[in-house]
Amino acid sequence: MSTCDALLGAAALKSLRKARGWSLADTARALIATARRLGQPLAPSVPSVQRSVARWESTTHPILPSDRYQLLLAHLYARGTDGHLSLGPGSDFAELLDALAHLGEAEAQLHELRTLLSRTATDNGNGLLALLGPTTQVTMAAALADPALADDTLLDGLRTAVEDVNAHVGSLPFARLQLLLAPVTESCRRLLAGGAPEPLLPGLRTVAAQAYTLAGRLAFETRDDQASRALYTAATDAAGLLDTTWHRAVVHMSHALVKLYSTPGIDTARGLVDAAVRDARTGDSIRVRARAHALQAEIAARSDAERQAQTALALAWYDIERDADGDPVPTSFSADHLRGFEGLCELYVGDAAVAHDVFASSAKALRGPRERVQRAIITTDQALACIRLDAPETAVDLLHNCITTAATTGGRVPALRLRQARKALRPWRHEKFVADLDDHLIDILGS
């Protein structure tokens, strides 16, 4: 952090305070009141807190607020002057996070603050517009009344909201993410049906395809299969009207994974994956193509088709090792993700010991909050490999770590994978370590 950055952060904090018409003493009183409301009363007096505020805004040597004060500032600025929660672009909360970043706060801590406030926004189901910035909320209201008023600013706001919800997968329960995404999906539906300006339609369809796809996945995770099917149909229709075929490939892949776990057999999933491969091969995203081939390898392995699985896996590795410069979604799929698919192929048509090691490597590499659910899935697969290697106690140790993730996210796939692993432990059902796992499953998941 440079001195210039720190001064920018201090100036931003001062600007936030001034915009609300607060003096230093007013801000101190607001922080004390916020702490009291959160059940964490501050011991320092108003003059003491006021001095802390002044140090954060110093024009010579500003300091970063402590973790506790950052939490209080986050709650304070998350609510606009109208009292409503607002966390999106252009909000005071977003400006606060930028200020803290300039003052030297780590990205991981800022992510935790954002996640915490997003959780707060959905505690009572009242924060449906929390991820939409103030400007987006105003332009959305106007566009819904008259779709001809929709513009690029609205599209940017909707796009950012979808990205924010997607970034919170693994950090917030899926049911809460549904609440946050609902205004975006409904707005896209109404704008597409109501006559948005023609030049805006490609961008609107792109955002709609992304929103519907994510919403379809969230509906599946919360066991609403009927809504999930409708959303994937809408996503496929929207993506099919775009010039770039990789968007539809992404929809097909997400839909295929849902079908794999919600429909008996794998024929439906196979059809969707094959469609994704066809679209990906004519698209301009190498990363999407790699993921499509990886899914094709998984489907083949689950069908005990070793040769086809290895061929598709080799194509996926060929794609992933190519230069991704210019790829529209360069970070959507990586070698660490692909190792999880490689492990699955080894598990079903290869060597369980190799599968175990590949799963362990992949899970270790996927450390970000966004990969939390994927990490839990891979770890349950690693446990299955342990069971096949006659190491059930090691498998149980791994499964204990996955139960909490399945419970806190409400994820359907991790829960299904846990159930599959538990069935594989039946030969050891009388052992104490399996009984302890059952107790954990009942205590946390209720099943």
Side-chain angles (χ1 to χ4, degrees), residues 18-47:
K18 291 286 190 179
R20 297 209 174 188
W22 291 343
S23 66
L24 291 172
D26 291 334
T27 306
R29 282 189 285 269
L31 288 168
I32 290 171
T34 300
R36 190 180 302 114
R37 176 170 58 83
L38 296 175
Q40 300 179 15
L42 287 171
S45 62
V46 170

PDB file of all heavy atoms in Angstrom, residues 18-47:
ATOM      1  N   LYS A  18     -19.173  13.175   5.123  1.00  0.00           N
ATOM      2  CA  LYS A  18     -19.692  14.498   4.762  1.00  0.00           C
ATOM      3  C   LYS A  18     -20.990  14.388   3.951  1.00  0.00           C
ATOM      4  O   LYS A  18     -21.904  15.218   4.085  1.00  0.00           O
ATOM      5  CB  LYS A  18     -18.646  15.259   3.949  1.00  0.00           C
ATOM      6  CG  LYS A  18     -17.404  15.676   4.736  1.00  0.00           C
ATOM      7  CD  LYS A  18     -17.713  16.833   5.648  1.00  0.00           C
ATOM      8  CE  LYS A  18     -16.441  17.421   6.247  1.00  0.00           C
ATOM      9  NZ  LYS A  18     -16.742  18.575   7.139  1.00  0.00           N
ATOM     10  N   ALA A  19     -21.050  13.341   3.090  1.00  0.00           N
ATOM     11  CA  ALA A  19     -22.245  13.179   2.256  1.00  0.00           C
ATOM     12  C   ALA A  19     -23.496  12.956   3.103  1.00  0.00           C
ATOM     13  O   ALA A  19     -24.611  13.264   2.665  1.00  0.00           O
ATOM     14  CB  ALA A  19     -22.044  12.019   1.294  1.00  0.00           C
ATOM     15  N   ARG A  20     -23.309  12.450   4.299  1.00  0.00           N
ATOM     16  CA  ARG A  20     -24.454  12.230   5.187  1.00  0.00           C
ATOM     17  C   ARG A  20     -24.670  13.406   6.133  1.00  0.00           C
ATOM     18  O   ARG A  20     -25.546  13.364   7.003  1.00  0.00           O
ATOM     19  CB  ARG A  20     -24.254  10.940   5.982  1.00  0.00           C
ATOM     20  CG  ARG A  20     -24.193   9.696   5.086  1.00  0.00           C
ATOM     21  CD  ARG A  20     -24.678   8.464   5.756  1.00  0.00           C
ATOM     22  NE  ARG A  20     -24.736   7.340   4.834  1.00  0.00           N
ATOM     23  CZ  ARG A  20     -25.281   6.166   5.126  1.00  0.00           C
ATOM     24  NH1 ARG A  20     -25.822   5.980   6.334  1.00  0.00           N
ATOM     25  NH2 ARG A  20     -25.306   5.190   4.247  1.00  0.00           N
ATOM     26  N   GLY A  21     -23.837  14.422   5.972  1.00  0.00           N
ATOM     27  CA  GLY A  21     -23.982  15.606   6.812  1.00  0.00           C
ATOM     28  C   GLY A  21     -23.544  15.386   8.242  1.00  0.00           C
ATOM     29  O   GLY A  21     -24.021  16.080   9.152  1.00  0.00           O
ATOM     30  N   TRP A  22     -22.624  14.454   8.466  1.00  0.00           N
ATOM     31  CA  TRP A  22     -22.185  14.122   9.825  1.00  0.00           C
ATOM     32  C   TRP A  22     -20.882  14.832  10.168  1.00  0.00           C
ATOM     33  O   TRP A  22     -19.970  14.921   9.353  1.00  0.00           O
ATOM     34  CB  TRP A  22     -21.959  12.621   9.962  1.00  0.00           C
ATOM     35  CG  TRP A  22     -23.214  11.794   9.917  1.00  0.00           C
ATOM     36  CD1 TRP A  22     -24.490  12.217  10.083  1.00  0.00           C
ATOM     37  CD2 TRP A  22     -23.276  10.383   9.692  1.00  0.00           C
ATOM     38  NE1 TRP A  22     -25.364  11.163   9.989  1.00  0.00           N
ATOM     39  CE2 TRP A  22     -24.647  10.027   9.747  1.00  0.00           C
ATOM     40  CE3 TRP A  22     -22.334   9.393   9.452  1.00  0.00           C
ATOM     41  CZ2 TRP A  22     -25.088   8.707   9.573  1.00  0.00           C
ATOM     42  CZ3 TRP A  22     -22.758   8.085   9.282  1.00  0.00           C
ATOM     43  CH2 TRP A  22     -24.121   7.749   9.336  1.00  0.00           C
ATOM     44  N   SER A  23     -20.798  15.280  11.400  1.00  0.00           N
ATOM     45  CA  SER A  23     -19.522  15.730  11.960  1.00  0.00           C
ATOM     46  C   SER A  23     -18.785  14.494  12.474  1.00  0.00           C
ATOM     47  O   SER A  23     -19.324  13.382  12.473  1.00  0.00           O
ATOM     48  CB  SER A  23     -19.773  16.702  13.104  1.00  0.00           C
ATOM     49  OG  SER A  23     -20.416  16.020  14.183  1.00  0.00           O
ATOM     50  N   LEU A  24     -17.545  14.692  12.937  1.00  0.00           N
ATOM     51  CA  LEU A  24     -16.819  13.573  13.540  1.00  0.00           C
ATOM     52  C   LEU A  24     -17.582  13.019  14.736  1.00  0.00           C
ATOM     53  O   LEU A  24     -17.670  11.795  14.923  1.00  0.00           O
ATOM     54  CB  LEU A  24     -15.415  14.030  13.953  1.00  0.00           C
ATOM     55  CG  LEU A  24     -14.437  14.367  12.823  1.00  0.00           C
ATOM     56  CD1 LEU A  24     -13.161  14.983  13.392  1.00  0.00           C
ATOM     57  CD2 LEU A  24     -14.087  13.113  12.028  1.00  0.00           C
ATOM     58  N   ALA A  25     -18.129  13.918  15.538  1.00  0.00           N
ATOM     59  CA  ALA A  25     -18.884  13.485  16.722  1.00  0.00           C
ATOM     60  C   ALA A  25     -20.157  12.741  16.324  1.00  0.00           C
ATOM     61  O   ALA A  25     -20.534  11.739  16.948  1.00  0.00           O
ATOM     62  CB  ALA A  25     -19.224  14.683  17.603  1.00  0.00           C
ATOM     63  N   ASP A  26     -20.822  13.210  15.255  1.00  0.00           N
ATOM     64  CA  ASP A  26     -22.022  12.522  14.768  1.00  0.00           C
ATOM     65  C   ASP A  26     -21.685  11.087  14.347  1.00  0.00           C
ATOM     66  O   ASP A  26     -22.437  10.147  14.645  1.00  0.00           O
ATOM     67  CB  ASP A  26     -22.618  13.257  13.564  1.00  0.00           C
ATOM     68  CG  ASP A  26     -23.211  14.608  13.932  1.00  0.00           C
ATOM     69  OD1 ASP A  26     -23.621  14.781  15.099  1.00  0.00           O
ATOM     70  OD2 ASP A  26     -23.248  15.485  13.043  1.00  0.00           O
ATOM     71  N   THR A  27     -20.564  10.930  13.647  1.00  0.00           N
ATOM     72  CA  THR A  27     -20.156   9.598  13.192  1.00  0.00           C
ATOM     73  C   THR A  27     -19.849   8.706  14.385  1.00  0.00           C
ATOM     74  O   THR A  27     -20.216   7.525  14.403  1.00  0.00           O
ATOM     75  CB  THR A  27     -18.920   9.699  12.278  1.00  0.00           C
ATOM     76  OG1 THR A  27     -19.201  10.610  11.211  1.00  0.00           O
ATOM     77  CG2 THR A  27     -18.551   8.345  11.710  1.00  0.00           C
ATOM     78  N   ALA A  28     -19.197   9.268  15.381  1.00  0.00           N
ATOM     79  CA  ALA A  28     -18.886   8.496  16.589  1.00  0.00           C
ATOM     80  C   ALA A  28     -20.170   8.022  17.263  1.00  0.00           C
ATOM     81  O   ALA A  28     -20.289   6.857  17.669  1.00  0.00           O
ATOM     82  CB  ALA A  28     -18.057   9.340  17.556  1.00  0.00           C
ATOM     83  N   ARG A  29     -21.143   8.918  17.373  1.00  0.00           N
ATOM     84  CA  ARG A  29     -22.417   8.536  18.001  1.00  0.00           C
ATOM     85  C   ARG A  29     -23.142   7.473  17.164  1.00  0.00           C
ATOM     86  O   ARG A  29     -23.748   6.538  17.715  1.00  0.00           O
ATOM     87  CB  ARG A  29     -23.295   9.778  18.179  1.00  0.00           C
ATOM     88  CG  ARG A  29     -22.892  10.643  19.367  1.00  0.00           C
ATOM     89  CD  ARG A  29     -23.917  11.726  19.643  1.00  0.00           C
ATOM     90  NE  ARG A  29     -23.828  12.795  18.653  1.00  0.00           N
ATOM     91  CZ  ARG A  29     -23.067  13.885  18.807  1.00  0.00           C
ATOM     92  NH1 ARG A  29     -22.337  14.036  19.916  1.00  0.00           N
ATOM     93  NH2 ARG A  29     -23.039  14.824  17.876  1.00  0.00           N
ATOM     94  N   ALA A  30     -23.053   7.593  15.834  1.00  0.00           N
ATOM     95  CA  ALA A  30     -23.697   6.613  14.960  1.00  0.00           C
ATOM     96  C   ALA A  30     -23.048   5.234  15.113  1.00  0.00           C
ATOM     97  O   ALA A  30     -23.737   4.208  15.122  1.00  0.00           O
ATOM     98  CB  ALA A  30     -23.619   7.072  13.509  1.00  0.00           C
ATOM     99  N   LEU A  31     -21.723   5.216  15.254  1.00  0.00           N
ATOM    100  CA  LEU A  31     -21.024   3.940  15.440  1.00  0.00           C
ATOM    101  C   LEU A  31     -21.385   3.309  16.786  1.00  0.00           C
ATOM    102  O   LEU A  31     -21.583   2.093  16.880  1.00  0.00           O
ATOM    103  CB  LEU A  31     -19.514   4.157  15.345  1.00  0.00           C
ATOM    104  CG  LEU A  31     -18.970   4.441  13.936  1.00  0.00           C
ATOM    105  CD1 LEU A  31     -17.521   4.916  14.009  1.00  0.00           C
ATOM    106  CD2 LEU A  31     -19.074   3.189  13.068  1.00  0.00           C
ATOM    107  N   ILE A  32     -21.491   4.126  17.812  1.00  0.00           N
ATOM    108  CA  ILE A  32     -21.849   3.621  19.141  1.00  0.00           C
ATOM    109  C   ILE A  32     -23.274   3.066  19.110  1.00  0.00           C
ATOM    110  O   ILE A  32     -23.556   1.995  19.673  1.00  0.00           O
ATOM    111  CB  ILE A  32     -21.705   4.733  20.192  1.00  0.00           C
ATOM    112  CG1 ILE A  32     -20.214   5.057  20.404  1.00  0.00           C
ATOM    113  CG2 ILE A  32     -22.355   4.335  21.511  1.00  0.00           C
ATOM    114  CD1 ILE A  32     -19.959   6.277  21.267  1.00  0.00           C
ATOM    115  N   ALA A  33     -24.172   3.790  18.427  1.00  0.00           N
ATOM    116  CA  ALA A  33     -25.560   3.312  18.322  1.00  0.00           C
ATOM    117  C   ALA A  33     -25.631   2.013  17.523  1.00  0.00           C
ATOM    118  O   ALA A  33     -26.397   1.093  17.862  1.00  0.00           O
ATOM    119  CB  ALA A  33     -26.424   4.384  17.661  1.00  0.00           C
ATOM    120  N   THR A  34     -24.823   1.887  16.462  1.00  0.00           N
ATOM    121  CA  THR A  34     -24.798   0.673  15.653  1.00  0.00           C
ATOM    122  C   THR A  34     -24.291  -0.506  16.481  1.00  0.00           C
ATOM    123  O   THR A  34     -24.843  -1.611  16.417  1.00  0.00           O
ATOM    124  CB  THR A  34     -23.908   0.865  14.413  1.00  0.00           C
ATOM    125  OG1 THR A  34     -24.422   1.942  13.627  1.00  0.00           O
ATOM    126  CG2 THR A  34     -23.858  -0.389  13.570  1.00  0.00           C
ATOM    127  N   ALA A  35     -23.250  -0.258  17.263  1.00  0.00           N
ATOM    128  CA  ALA A  35     -22.707  -1.322  18.115  1.00  0.00           C
ATOM    129  C   ALA A  35     -23.754  -1.789  19.120  1.00  0.00           C
ATOM    130  O   ALA A  35     -23.905  -2.994  19.382  1.00  0.00           O
ATOM    131  CB  ALA A  35     -21.455  -0.820  18.835  1.00  0.00           C
ATOM    132  N   ARG A  36     -24.496  -0.834  19.663  1.00  0.00           N
ATOM    133  CA  ARG A  36     -25.536  -1.192  20.643  1.00  0.00           C
ATOM    134  C   ARG A  36     -26.636  -2.010  19.955  1.00  0.00           C
ATOM    135  O   ARG A  36     -27.127  -3.000  20.506  1.00  0.00           O
ATOM    136  CB  ARG A  36     -26.105   0.080  21.257  1.00  0.00           C
ATOM    137  CG  ARG A  36     -27.013  -0.180  22.469  1.00  0.00           C
ATOM    138  CD  ARG A  36     -27.552   1.123  23.040  1.00  0.00           C
ATOM    139  NE  ARG A  36     -26.475   2.028  23.446  1.00  0.00           N
ATOM    140  CZ  ARG A  36     -26.223   3.197  22.867  1.00  0.00           C
ATOM    141  NH1 ARG A  36     -26.984   3.618  21.858  1.00  0.00           N
ATOM    142  NH2 ARG A  36     -25.233   3.956  23.279  1.00  0.00           N
ATOM    143  N   ARG A  37     -26.994  -1.613  18.747  1.00  0.00           N
ATOM    144  CA  ARG A  37     -28.044  -2.332  18.012  1.00  0.00           C
ATOM    145  C   ARG A  37     -27.628  -3.755  17.690  1.00  0.00           C
ATOM    146  O   ARG A  37     -28.458  -4.673  17.673  1.00  0.00           O
ATOM    147  CB  ARG A  37     -28.367  -1.578  16.718  1.00  0.00           C
ATOM    148  CG  ARG A  37     -29.380  -2.264  15.817  1.00  0.00           C
ATOM    149  CD  ARG A  37     -29.828  -1.354  14.678  1.00  0.00           C
ATOM    150  NE  ARG A  37     -28.718  -0.904  13.862  1.00  0.00           N
ATOM    151  CZ  ARG A  37     -28.191  -1.616  12.863  1.00  0.00           C
ATOM    152  NH1 ARG A  37     -28.680  -2.814  12.595  1.00  0.00           N
ATOM    153  NH2 ARG A  37     -27.205  -1.130  12.142  1.00  0.00           N
ATOM    154  N   LEU A  38     -26.351  -3.962  17.449  1.00  0.00           N
ATOM    155  CA  LEU A  38     -25.841  -5.295  17.126  1.00  0.00           C
ATOM    156  C   LEU A  38     -25.545  -6.123  18.364  1.00  0.00           C
ATOM    157  O   LEU A  38     -25.093  -7.266  18.249  1.00  0.00           O
ATOM    158  CB  LEU A  38     -24.571  -5.171  16.275  1.00  0.00           C
ATOM    159  CG  LEU A  38     -24.734  -4.529  14.896  1.00  0.00           C
ATOM    160  CD1 LEU A  38     -23.375  -4.363  14.225  1.00  0.00           C
ATOM    161  CD2 LEU A  38     -25.659  -5.366  14.021  1.00  0.00           C
ATOM    162  N   GLY A  39     -25.802  -5.557  19.545  1.00  0.00           N
ATOM    163  CA  GLY A  39     -25.522  -6.282  20.776  1.00  0.00           C
ATOM    164  C   GLY A  39     -24.059  -6.349  21.125  1.00  0.00           C
ATOM    165  O   GLY A  39     -23.625  -7.229  21.875  1.00  0.00           O
ATOM    166  N   GLN A  40     -23.265  -5.416  20.579  1.00  0.00           N
ATOM    167  CA  GLN A  40     -21.825  -5.362  20.854  1.00  0.00           C
ATOM    168  C   GLN A  40     -21.443  -3.948  21.278  1.00  0.00           C
ATOM    169  O   GLN A  40     -20.711  -3.241  20.583  1.00  0.00           O
ATOM    170  CB  GLN A  40     -21.034  -5.769  19.608  1.00  0.00           C
ATOM    171  CG  GLN A  40     -21.333  -7.164  19.108  1.00  0.00           C
ATOM    172  CD  GLN A  40     -20.538  -7.490  17.853  1.00  0.00           C
ATOM    173  OE1 GLN A  40     -19.581  -6.816  17.503  1.00  0.00           O
ATOM    174  NE2 GLN A  40     -20.935  -8.546  17.164  1.00  0.00           N
ATOM    175  N   PRO A  41     -21.964  -3.468  22.405  1.00  0.00           N
ATOM    176  CA  PRO A  41     -21.747  -2.078  22.809  1.00  0.00           C
ATOM    177  C   PRO A  41     -20.268  -1.734  22.952  1.00  0.00           C
ATOM    178  O   PRO A  41     -19.461  -2.552  23.389  1.00  0.00           O
ATOM    179  CB  PRO A  41     -22.472  -1.983  24.155  1.00  0.00           C
ATOM    180  CG  PRO A  41     -22.603  -3.385  24.632  1.00  0.00           C
ATOM    181  CD  PRO A  41     -22.718  -4.233  23.410  1.00  0.00           C
ATOM    182  N   LEU A  42     -19.956  -0.520  22.537  1.00  0.00           N
ATOM    183  CA  LEU A  42     -18.578  -0.029  22.636  1.00  0.00           C
ATOM    184  C   LEU A  42     -18.324   0.550  24.019  1.00  0.00           C
ATOM    185  O   LEU A  42     -19.142   1.305  24.545  1.00  0.00           O
ATOM    186  CB  LEU A  42     -18.322   1.051  21.582  1.00  0.00           C
ATOM    187  CG  LEU A  42     -18.195   0.587  20.126  1.00  0.00           C
ATOM    188  CD1 LEU A  42     -18.171   1.804  19.201  1.00  0.00           C
ATOM    189  CD2 LEU A  42     -16.933  -0.234  19.943  1.00  0.00           C
ATOM    190  N   ALA A  43     -17.174   0.211  24.574  1.00  0.00           N
ATOM    191  CA  ALA A  43     -16.802   0.772  25.869  1.00  0.00           C
ATOM    192  C   ALA A  43     -16.319   2.217  25.761  1.00  0.00           C
ATOM    193  O   ALA A  43     -16.613   3.041  26.630  1.00  0.00           O
ATOM    194  CB  ALA A  43     -15.728  -0.096  26.530  1.00  0.00           C
ATOM    195  N   PRO A  44     -15.574   2.572  24.671  1.00  0.00           N
ATOM    196  CA  PRO A  44     -15.066   3.951  24.580  1.00  0.00           C
ATOM    197  C   PRO A  44     -16.189   4.985  24.531  1.00  0.00           C
ATOM    198  O   PRO A  44     -17.289   4.722  24.062  1.00  0.00           O
ATOM    199  CB  PRO A  44     -14.270   3.940  23.270  1.00  0.00           C
ATOM    200  CG  PRO A  44     -13.935   2.507  23.024  1.00  0.00           C
ATOM    201  CD  PRO A  44     -15.090   1.728  23.572  1.00  0.00           C
ATOM    202  N   SER A  45     -15.885   6.174  25.018  1.00  0.00           N
ATOM    203  CA  SER A  45     -16.845   7.282  24.995  1.00  0.00           C
ATOM    204  C   SER A  45     -16.890   7.899  23.611  1.00  0.00           C
ATOM    205  O   SER A  45     -16.067   7.589  22.735  1.00  0.00           O
ATOM    206  CB  SER A  45     -16.419   8.337  26.016  1.00  0.00           C
ATOM    207  OG  SER A  45     -15.142   8.851  25.651  1.00  0.00           O
ATOM    208  N   VAL A  46     -17.831   8.824  23.406  1.00  0.00           N
ATOM    209  CA  VAL A  46     -17.938   9.507  22.121  1.00  0.00           C
ATOM    210  C   VAL A  46     -16.635  10.207  21.750  1.00  0.00           C
ATOM    211  O   VAL A  46     -16.160  10.075  20.614  1.00  0.00           O
ATOM    212  CB  VAL A  46     -19.125  10.496  22.125  1.00  0.00           C
ATOM    213  CG1 VAL A  46     -19.093  11.392  20.882  1.00  0.00           C
ATOM    214  CG2 VAL A  46     -20.442   9.747  22.208  1.00  0.00           C
ATOM    215  N   PRO A  47     -15.998  10.963  22.656  1.00  0.00           N
ATOM    216  CA  PRO A  47     -14.731  11.626  22.286  1.00  0.00           C
ATOM    217  C   PRO A  47     -13.651  10.625  21.852  1.00  0.00           C
ATOM    218  O   PRO A  47     -12.881  10.903  20.923  1.00  0.00           O
ATOM    219  CB  PRO A  47     -14.324  12.366  23.560  1.00  0.00           C
ATOM    220  CG  PRO A  47     -15.623  12.609  24.270  1.00  0.00           C
ATOM    221  CD  PRO A  47     -16.433  11.386  24.008  1.00  0.00           C
TER     222      PRO A  47
END
